[in-house]
Amino acid sequence: MTPRMNIFEVAGEGTKAMIGVETAIAKSGLDSSLLHLVKIRASQINGCAFCIDMHVKDAVKSGESHQRLHLLDGWRDSPAFTDRERAALNWTEALTRIAKTHAPDADYAMLQAQFNETEIAWLTLAIGAINLWNRVQIGLRAVHPVEVPAAAAA
């Protein structure tokens, strides 16, 4: 896979603005572990290998367990996630698949049971932001670094 361009070089002002949004989201008070899960889940749905790679690495560095990361695609069937995380992941899926779901009232009600209005606003911005990053990185064919497994290097 060959990258089409480096958006950070070509549209520096735009990417700096997006990084500014990410900085604001990080300061919103939402738990960083929750934000990692949301970013990874949206990236899984969209098939953004670059973003999955980056956010899994960030989550591990922040102390997220490998088990939960491996189970993220099956969060509905795993007891490893809290009710708050489930509400956020459900909202992530609803907004990432917006053309299909149209963000149902039942999904929003689930969110309201776990988050206050300010948290919902920031979570919604976080989901929107990762979906934009996914589209940029997929569209421009961003390539993640490849790590050679230790067994393969021997």
Side-chain angles (χ1 to χ4, degrees):
M1 200 158 101
T2 304
R4 292 178 171 161
M5 75 170 73
N6 182 332
I7 189 105
F8 296 93
E9 293 173 2
V10 178
E13 188 174 331
T15 55
K16 284 179 188 174
M18 282 298 298
I19 291 168
V21 170
E22 293 292 343
T23 300
I25 291 166
K27 294 178 182 177
S28 71
L30 289 174
D31 183 65
S32 65
S33 176
L34 179 78
L35 290 171
H36 289 310
L37 293 175
V38 163
K39 290 176 181 182
I40 295 164
R41 186 65 192 121
S43 299
Q44 288 174 331
I45 293 166
N46 290 323
C48 184
F50 182 90
C51 294
I52 293 168
D53 178 70
M54 180 173 70
H55 295 298
V56 164
K57 287 176 181 173
D58 289 346
V60 169
K61 284 181 192 172
S62 295
E64 185 57 72
S65 77
H66 289 279
Q67 181 188 37
R68 283 170 33 104
L69 294 172
H70 290 297
L71 290 168
L72 187 55
D73 187 42
W75 67 267
R76 291 179 192 276
D77 299 316
S78 172
F81 301 93
T82 67
D83 289 343
R84 186 171 165 90
E85 290 167 338
R86 289 174 183 286
L89 292 167
N90 190 63
W91 191 237
T92 300
E93 291 186 2
L95 295 185
T96 301
R97 296 178 172 132
I98 195 75
K100 180 180 178 184
T101 70
H102 303 282
D105 289 339
D107 291 349
Y108 192 75
M110 182 180 180
L111 196 63
Q112 286 179 307
Q114 297 294 325
F115 293 89
N116 66 39
E117 189 173 64
T118 301
E119 292 171 324
I120 291 170
W122 282 109
L123 181 60
T124 301
L125 285 172
I127 295 165
I130 190 57
N131 274 281
L132 173 56
W133 283 118
N134 290 166
R135 282 148 180 78
V136 167
Q137 300 298 36
I138 292 167
L140 299 178
R141 302 288 188 259
V143 180
H144 65 84
V146 176
E147 299 170 7
V148 177

